[in-house]
Coordinates of all heavy atoms in Angstrom, one line a residue:
M546 N 118.1 107.3 136.6 CA 117.8 108.1 135.4 C 118.0 107.2 134.2 O 119.0 106.6 134.1 CB 118.6 109.4 135.4 CG 118.4 110.2 134.2 SD 119.5 111.6 133.8 CE 119.9 112.3 135.3
K547 N 117.1 107.4 133.2 CA 117.3 106.6 132.0 C 117.6 107.7 130.9 O 116.9 108.7 130.7 CB 116.0 106.0 131.6 CG 116.2 105.2 130.3 CD 114.9 104.4 130.0 CE 115.1 103.6 128.7 NZ 113.9 102.9 128.4
I548 N 118.7 107.6 130.1 CA 119.1 108.5 129.1 C 118.7 107.9 127.8 O 119.0 106.8 127.5 CB 120.6 108.7 129.1 CG1 121.0 109.4 130.4 CG2 121.0 109.6 127.9 CD1 122.5 109.5 130.6
I549 N 117.9 108.7 127.1 CA 117.4 108.3 125.7 C 118.0 109.2 124.7 O 118.1 110.4 124.8 CB 115.9 108.4 125.7 CG1 115.2 107.6 126.7 CG2 115.3 108.1 124.3 CD1 113.7 107.8 126.9
T550 N 118.7 108.6 123.7 CA 119.3 109.3 122.7 C 118.5 109.3 121.4 O 117.7 108.3 121.1 CB 120.7 108.8 122.3 OG1 120.7 107.4 121.9 CG2 121.6 108.9 123.6
A551 N 118.7 110.3 120.6 CA 118.0 110.4 119.3 C 118.9 111.1 118.3 O 119.8 111.8 118.7 CB 116.7 111.2 119.4
K552 N 118.7 110.8 117.0 CA 119.6 111.3 116.0 C 119.2 112.7 115.6 O 120.1 113.4 115.1 CB 119.6 110.4 114.8 CG 120.2 109.0 115.1 CD 120.3 108.1 113.9 CE 120.9 106.8 114.3 NZ 121.1 105.9 113.2
T553 N 118.0 113.1 115.7 CA 117.5 114.5 115.3 C 116.7 115.0 116.4 O 116.1 114.3 117.2 CB 116.8 114.4 114.0 OG1 115.5 113.7 114.3 CG2 117.5 113.7 112.9
A554 N 116.5 116.4 116.4 CA 115.6 117.0 117.3 C 114.1 116.5 117.1 O 113.4 116.4 118.0 CB 115.7 118.5 117.1
T555 N 113.8 116.3 115.8 CA 112.4 115.8 115.5 C 112.2 114.5 116.2 O 111.1 114.2 116.8 CB 112.2 115.7 114.0 OG1 112.4 117.0 113.5 CG2 110.8 115.3 113.6
E556 N 113.1 113.6 116.0 CA 113.0 112.2 116.7 C 113.0 112.3 118.2 O 112.2 111.7 118.8 CB 114.2 111.4 116.2 CG 114.2 110.0 116.8 CD 115.5 109.2 116.4 OE1 116.0 109.5 115.3 OE2 115.9 108.3 117.2
A557 N 113.8 113.2 118.7 CA 113.8 113.4 120.2 C 112.5 113.9 120.7 O 111.9 113.5 121.7 CB 114.9 114.3 120.6
S558 N 111.9 114.9 119.9 CA 110.6 115.5 120.2 C 109.5 114.5 120.2 O 108.6 114.5 121.1 CB 110.3 116.6 119.3 OG 111.2 117.7 119.5
A559 N 109.5 113.6 119.2 CA 108.5 112.6 119.1 C 108.5 111.6 120.2 O 107.5 111.3 120.9 CB 108.6 111.9 117.8
R560 N 109.7 111.2 120.7 CA 109.9 110.3 121.8 C 109.5 111.0 123.1 O 108.8 110.5 123.9 CB 111.4 109.9 121.9 CG 111.7 108.9 123.0 CD 110.9 107.6 122.8 NE 111.2 106.8 124.0 CZ 110.4 106.3 124.9 NH1 109.1 106.6 124.7 NH2 110.7 105.6 125.9
A561 N 109.9 112.3 123.2 CA 109.5 113.1 124.4 C 108.0 113.2 124.6 O 107.4 113.1 125.6 CB 110.2 114.4 124.4
F562 N 107.3 113.5 123.4 CA 105.9 113.6 123.4 C 105.2 112.3 123.9 O 104.3 112.3 124.6 CB 105.3 114.1 122.1 CG 103.9 114.3 122.2 CD1 103.3 115.4 122.8 CD2 103.0 113.3 121.6 CE1 101.9 115.5 122.9 CE2 101.6 113.4 121.7 CZ 101.1 114.5 122.3
D563 N 105.8 111.2 123.3 CA 105.2 109.9 123.8 C 105.3 109.7 125.3 O 104.4 109.2 125.9 CB 106.0 108.8 123.0 CG 105.7 108.6 121.6 OD1 104.7 109.2 121.1 OD2 106.4 108.0 120.9
I564 N 106.4 110.1 125.8 CA 106.6 110.0 127.3 C 105.6 110.9 128.0 O 105.0 110.5 129.0 CB 108.1 110.3 127.7 CG1 109.0 109.2 127.1 CG2 108.2 110.4 129.2 CD1 110.5 109.5 127.2
V565 N 105.5 112.2 127.6 CA 104.6 113.2 128.2 C 103.2 112.6 128.1 O 102.4 112.6 129.1 CB 104.7 114.5 127.6 CG1 103.6 115.5 128.0 CG2 106.0 115.2 127.8
N566 N 102.8 112.1 127.0 CA 101.5 111.6 126.7 C 101.1 110.4 127.7 O 100.1 110.3 128.3 CB 101.3 111.2 125.3 CG 99.9 110.9 124.9 OD1 98.9 111.6 125.4 ND2 99.7 110.0 123.9
E567 N 102.1 109.5 127.8 CA 101.9 108.4 128.6 C 101.8 108.8 130.1 O 100.9 108.3 130.9 CB 103.1 107.3 128.5 CG 103.0 106.1 129.3 CD 101.7 105.2 129.1 OE1 101.1 105.4 128.0 OE2 101.3 104.5 130.0
L568 N 102.7 109.6 130.6 CA 102.6 110.1 132.0 C 101.3 110.9 132.2 O 100.7 110.7 133.3 CB 103.8 111.0 132.3 CG 105.1 110.3 132.4 CD1 106.3 111.4 132.5 CD2 105.2 109.4 133.5
M569 N 100.9 111.7 131.3 CA 99.5 112.3 131.5 C 98.4 111.3 131.5 O 97.5 111.5 132.4 CB 99.3 113.3 130.3 CG 100.3 114.5 130.3 SD 100.1 115.7 131.7 CE 98.5 116.4 131.3
R570 N 98.5 110.3 130.7 CA 97.4 109.3 130.6 C 97.3 108.6 132.0 O 96.2 108.3 132.5 CB 97.7 108.3 129.6 CG 96.6 107.2 129.3 CD 97.0 106.2 128.3 NE 98.1 105.3 128.8 CZ 97.9 104.3 129.7 NH1 96.8 104.1 130.3 NH2 98.9 103.6 130.0
R571 N 98.5 108.4 132.6 CA 98.5 107.7 133.9 C 98.4 108.7 135.1 O 98.5 108.3 136.3 CB 99.8 106.9 134.1 CG 99.9 105.8 133.2 CD 101.0 104.9 133.6 NE 102.2 105.1 132.7 CZ 103.5 104.9 133.1 NH1 103.8 104.5 134.2 NH2 104.5 105.1 132.2
D572 N 98.2 110.0 134.8 CA 98.1 111.0 135.8 C 99.3 111.1 136.7 O 99.2 111.2 137.9 CB 96.8 110.8 136.7 CG 96.4 112.1 137.4 OD1 96.7 113.2 136.9 OD2 95.8 112.0 138.5
Q573 N 100.5 111.0 136.1 CA 101.8 111.0 136.8 C 102.6 112.1 136.5 O 103.8 112.1 136.8 CB 102.5 109.7 136.6 CG 101.8 108.4 137.1 CD 102.6 107.2 136.9 OE1 103.3 107.1 135.9 NE2 102.4 106.2 137.7
L574 N 102.2 113.1 135.8 CA 103.0 114.3 135.4 C 102.5 115.5 136.2 O 101.4 116.0 135.9 CB 102.9 114.6 133.9 CG 103.8 115.6 133.4 CD1 105.3 115.3 133.6 CD2 103.6 115.9 131.9
Q575 N 103.3 115.9 137.2 CA 102.9 117.0 138.0 C 103.8 118.3 137.7 O 103.3 119.4 137.8 CB 103.1 116.7 139.5 CG 102.1 115.7 140.0 CD 102.6 114.3 139.8 OE1 103.7 114.0 139.8 NE2 101.7 113.4 139.7
V576 N 105.1 118.1 137.3 CA 105.9 119.2 137.0 C 106.7 118.9 135.7 O 107.2 117.8 135.5 CB 107.0 119.4 138.1 CG1 107.9 120.5 137.9 CG2 106.3 119.6 139.5
M577 N 106.8 119.9 134.9 CA 107.5 119.8 133.6 C 108.6 120.9 133.6 O 108.3 122.1 133.9 CB 106.6 120.0 132.4 CG 105.7 118.8 132.1 SD 104.7 119.0 130.7 CE 105.8 119.5 129.4
G578 N 109.9 120.5 133.2 CA 110.9 121.5 133.0 C 110.9 121.9 131.5 O 111.1 121.0 130.7
L579 N 110.6 123.1 131.2 CA 110.5 123.5 129.8 C 111.7 124.4 129.4 O 111.9 125.4 130.1 CB 109.2 124.3 129.5 CG 107.9 123.5 129.9 CD1 106.7 124.3 129.7 CD2 107.9 122.2 129.0
A580 N 112.5 124.0 128.5 CA 113.7 124.7 128.1 C 113.5 125.7 127.0 O 112.6 125.6 126.2 CB 114.8 123.7 127.6
T581 N 114.3 126.7 126.9 CA 114.3 127.7 125.8 C 115.1 127.1 124.6 O 115.7 126.1 124.7 CB 114.9 129.0 126.2 OG1 116.3 128.8 126.6 CG2 114.2 129.6 127.4
G582 N 115.1 127.8 123.6 CA 115.9 127.4 122.3 C 115.1 126.7 121.4 O 113.9 126.5 121.5
S583 N 115.7 126.4 120.2 CA 114.9 125.9 119.1 C 114.8 124.3 119.2 O 113.9 123.8 118.5 CB 115.6 126.3 117.8 OG 116.9 125.8 117.7
T584 N 115.6 123.7 119.9 CA 115.6 122.2 119.9 C 114.2 121.7 120.3 O 113.7 120.8 119.7 CB 116.7 121.6 120.8 OG1 118.0 122.1 120.3 CG2 116.7 120.1 120.8
P585 N 113.6 122.1 121.4 CA 112.3 121.6 121.8 C 111.1 122.1 121.1 O 109.9 121.7 121.5 CB 112.2 121.9 123.3 CG 113.0 123.2 123.4 CD 114.1 123.1 122.4
L586 N 111.3 122.9 120.0 CA 110.1 123.5 119.4 C 109.1 122.5 118.9 O 107.9 122.6 119.0 CB 110.5 124.5 118.3 CG 111.1 125.8 118.8 CD1 111.5 126.7 117.7 CD2 110.2 126.5 119.8
D587 N 109.6 121.4 118.3 CA 108.7 120.3 117.7 C 107.9 119.7 118.9 O 106.7 119.4 118.7 CB 109.5 119.2 117.0 CG 110.0 119.6 115.7 OD1 109.5 120.6 115.1 OD2 111.0 119.0 115.2
L588 N 108.5 119.5 120.0 CA 107.8 119.0 121.2 C 106.7 119.9 121.6 O 105.6 119.5 121.8 CB 108.8 118.7 122.3 CG 108.1 118.3 123.7 CD1 107.2 117.1 123.6 CD2 109.1 118.2 124.8
Y589 N 107.1 121.2 121.7 CA 106.1 122.2 122.1 C 104.9 122.3 121.2 O 103.7 122.4 121.5 CB 106.7 123.5 122.4 CG 107.8 123.5 123.5 CD1 108.8 124.5 123.5 CD2 107.9 122.5 124.4 CE1 109.7 124.5 124.5 CE2 108.8 122.5 125.4 CZ 109.8 123.5 125.4 OH 110.7 123.5 126.4
K590 N 105.2 122.1 119.9 CA 104.2 122.2 118.9 C 103.2 121.0 119.0 O 102.0 121.1 119.0 CB 104.8 122.2 117.5 CG 103.7 122.2 116.4 CD 104.4 122.3 115.0 CE 103.3 122.3 114.0 NZ 103.9 122.3 112.6
Q591 N 103.8 119.8 119.3 CA 103.0 118.6 119.5 C 102.1 118.8 120.7 O 100.9 118.3 120.7 CB 103.8 117.4 119.6 CG 104.5 117.0 118.3 CD 105.4 115.8 118.5 OE1 105.0 114.7 118.9 NE2 106.7 115.9 118.1
I592 N 102.7 119.3 121.8 CA 101.9 119.5 123.0 C 100.7 120.5 122.7 O 99.6 120.2 123.2 CB 102.8 120.1 124.1 CG1 103.7 119.0 124.6 CG2 102.0 120.6 125.3 CD1 104.8 119.3 125.6
C593 N 101.0 121.6 122.0 CA 99.9 122.5 121.7 C 98.8 122.0 120.9 O 97.6 122.3 121.0 CB 100.5 123.8 121.1 SG 101.5 124.8 122.2
E594 N 99.2 121.1 119.9 CA 98.2 120.5 119.1 C 97.5 119.3 119.7 O 96.5 118.8 119.1 CB 98.9 120.1 117.7 CG 99.4 121.3 116.9 CD 100.2 120.9 115.7 OE1 100.6 119.7 115.5 OE2 100.5 121.8 114.9
S595 N 97.9 118.9 120.9 CA 97.3 117.7 121.4 C 96.1 118.2 122.2 O 95.8 119.4 122.4 CB 98.3 117.0 122.4 OG 98.4 117.8 123.6
N596 N 95.3 117.2 122.8 CA 94.1 117.5 123.6 C 94.5 117.2 125.1 O 93.6 117.1 125.9 CB 92.9 116.8 123.2 CG 93.1 115.3 123.3 OD1 94.2 114.8 123.5 ND2 92.1 114.5 123.1
L597 N 95.8 117.2 125.4 CA 96.2 117.0 126.8 C 95.8 118.2 127.7 O 95.9 119.3 127.3 CB 97.7 116.7 126.9 CG 98.2 115.5 126.1 CD1 99.8 115.4 126.2 CD2 97.6 114.3 126.7
D598 N 95.4 117.9 128.9 CA 95.0 118.9 129.9 C 96.1 119.1 130.9 O 96.3 118.2 131.7 CB 93.7 118.5 130.5 CG 93.2 119.4 131.6 OD1 93.9 120.5 131.8 OD2 92.3 119.1 132.3
F599 N 96.8 120.2 130.8 CA 97.9 120.5 131.7 C 97.5 121.4 132.9 O 98.3 122.0 133.6 CB 99.1 121.2 131.0 CG 99.7 120.3 130.0 CD1 99.3 120.2 128.7 CD2 100.8 119.4 130.5 CE1 100.0 119.3 127.8 CE2 101.4 118.6 129.6 CZ 101.0 118.5 128.2
S600 N 96.2 121.5 133.1 CA 95.7 122.4 134.2 C 96.2 122.0 135.5 O 96.2 122.8 136.5 CB 94.2 122.5 134.1 OG 93.6 121.2 134.4
R601 N 96.6 120.7 135.8 CA 97.0 120.3 137.1 C 98.5 120.1 137.1 O 99.0 119.5 138.0 CB 96.3 119.1 137.5 CG 94.8 119.3 137.7 CD 94.0 118.1 138.2 NE 94.7 116.9 138.3 CZ 94.2 115.7 138.1 NH1 92.9 115.7 137.7 NH2 94.8 114.6 138.2
C602 N 99.2 120.6 136.1 CA 100.7 120.5 136.0 C 101.4 121.8 136.1 O 100.8 122.8 135.6 CB 101.0 119.8 134.6 SG 102.7 119.4 134.3
T603 N 102.5 121.8 136.8 CA 103.3 123.0 136.9 C 104.5 123.0 136.0 O 105.0 121.9 135.8 CB 103.8 123.1 138.4 OG1 102.7 123.1 139.3 CG2 104.6 124.3 138.6
S604 N 104.8 124.1 135.4 CA 106.0 124.2 134.6 C 107.1 125.0 135.3 O 106.8 126.0 135.9 CB 105.7 124.7 133.2 OG 105.5 126.1 133.3
V605 N 108.3 124.5 135.1 CA 109.5 125.3 135.5 C 110.2 125.7 134.2 O 110.6 124.8 133.4 CB 110.4 124.4 136.3 CG1 111.7 125.2 136.7 CG2 109.7 123.9 137.5
N606 N 110.3 126.9 133.8 CA 110.8 127.4 132.6 C 112.2 127.8 132.8 O 112.6 128.7 133.6 CB 109.9 128.6 132.1 CG 108.5 128.1 131.9 OD1 108.2 127.2 131.2 ND2 107.6 128.8 132.7
L607 N 113.1 127.1 132.0 CA 114.5 127.3 132.1 C 115.0 128.3 131.0 O 114.6 128.2 129.9 CB 115.2 126.0 131.9 CG 114.7 124.8 132.8 CD1 115.3 123.5 132.3 CD2 114.9 125.1 134.2
D608 N 115.9 129.1 131.4 CA 116.6 130.1 130.4 C 118.0 130.0 130.7 O 118.5 130.6 131.6 CB 116.0 131.5 130.6 CG 116.5 132.4 129.5 OD1 117.5 132.0 128.8 OD2 116.0 133.5 129.4
E609 N 118.7 129.3 129.8 CA 120.1 129.1 130.1 C 121.0 130.3 129.9 O 122.2 130.3 130.1 CB 120.7 127.9 129.1 CG 120.7 128.2 127.7 CD 119.4 127.9 127.0 OE1 118.4 127.7 127.6 OE2 119.5 127.8 125.7
Y610 N 120.4 131.4 129.4 CA 121.2 132.6 129.2 C 121.1 133.6 130.3 O 121.8 134.6 130.4 CB 120.7 133.3 127.9 CG 120.9 132.4 126.7 CD1 119.9 131.8 126.0 CD2 122.2 132.1 126.2 CE1 120.0 131.0 124.9 CE2 122.4 131.3 125.1 CZ 121.3 130.8 124.5 OH 121.5 129.9 123.4
V611 N 120.2 133.4 131.3 CA 120.1 134.3 132.4 C 121.4 134.4 133.2 O 122.0 133.3 133.6 CB 118.9 133.9 133.3 CG1 118.9 134.7 134.6 CG2 117.6 134.1 132.6
G612 N 121.9 135.6 133.5 CA 123.1 135.7 134.2 C 124.4 135.5 133.5 O 125.5 135.7 134.1
R613 N 124.4 135.2 132.2 CA 125.6 135.0 131.4 C 126.0 136.3 130.8 O 125.2 137.2 130.5 CB 125.4 133.9 130.4 CG 125.2 132.6 131.0 CD 125.5 131.6 129.9 NE 125.4 130.2 130.5 CZ 125.6 129.2 129.9 NH1 125.7 129.2 128.5 NH2 125.5 128.0 130.5
Q614 N 127.3 136.4 130.4 CA 127.8 137.5 129.6 C 127.2 137.4 128.2 O 126.8 136.4 127.7 CB 129.3 137.4 129.6 CG 130.0 137.5 130.9 CD 129.7 138.9 131.6 OE1 129.8 139.9 130.9 NE2 129.4 138.9 132.8
P615 N 127.1 138.5 127.6 CA 126.6 138.6 126.1 C 127.5 137.6 125.3 O 128.7 137.4 125.6 CB 126.8 140.0 125.7 CG 126.9 140.8 126.9 CD 127.5 139.9 128.0
P616 N 126.8 136.9 124.4 CA 127.6 135.9 123.6 C 128.7 136.5 122.7 O 128.6 137.7 122.3 CB 126.5 135.3 122.7 CG 125.4 136.3 122.7 CD 125.5 137.1 123.9
R617 N 129.7 135.7 122.5 CA 130.8 136.0 121.6 C 130.2 136.1 120.1 O 129.2 135.4 119.9 CB 131.9 135.0 121.6 CG 132.5 134.9 122.9 CD 133.6 133.8 122.8 NE 133.1 132.5 122.1 CZ 132.8 131.4 122.7 NH1 132.9 131.3 124.0 NH2 132.4 130.4 122.1
P618 N 130.8 136.8 119.2 CA 130.4 136.7 117.8 C 130.4 135.3 117.4 O 131.4 134.5 117.7 CB 131.4 137.6 117.0 CG 132.0 138.5 118.1 CD 131.9 137.7 119.4
K619 N 129.4 134.7 116.7 CA 129.3 133.4 116.2 C 129.3 132.4 117.4 O 129.6 131.2 117.1 CB 130.4 133.1 115.2 CG 130.3 133.9 114.0 CD 131.3 133.5 113.0 CE 131.2 134.4 111.7 NZ 132.1 134.0 110.7
G620 N 129.0 132.8 118.6 CA 129.0 131.9 119.7 C 127.7 132.0 120.4 O 126.8 132.8 120.1
R621 N 127.5 131.2 121.4 CA 126.3 131.2 122.2 C 126.5 131.6 123.7 O 125.8 131.3 124.5 CB 125.7 129.8 122.2 CG 125.1 129.4 120.9 CD 124.3 128.2 121.0 NE 123.4 128.2 119.9 CZ 122.1 128.1 120.0 NH1 121.5 127.9 121.2 NH2 121.3 128.1 119.0
G622 N 127.7 132.3 123.9 CA 127.9 132.8 125.3 C 128.4 131.7 126.2 O 128.3 131.9 127.4
L623 N 128.9 130.6 125.7 CA 129.3 129.5 126.5 C 130.8 129.6 126.9 O 131.6 130.2 126.3 CB 129.1 128.2 125.8 CG 127.7 127.9 125.4 CD1 127.6 126.7 124.6 CD2 126.7 127.9 126.5

């Protein structure tokens, strides 16, 4: 596994989109794990605005809040 770090969500989204775009170009993207929350929104926007065809790709949609107790005040339920 290669870990890529970024200073901002925007920078991470741009890098992630470059990877998605390259894998799609090589026809090597079969499954995508899509997370909830605001961090990946820039990535999802770039994907929606692209002309990439995901018709042969499966998504696994993650929701980190399923099965957790309600969040504490000013917390995220962690």
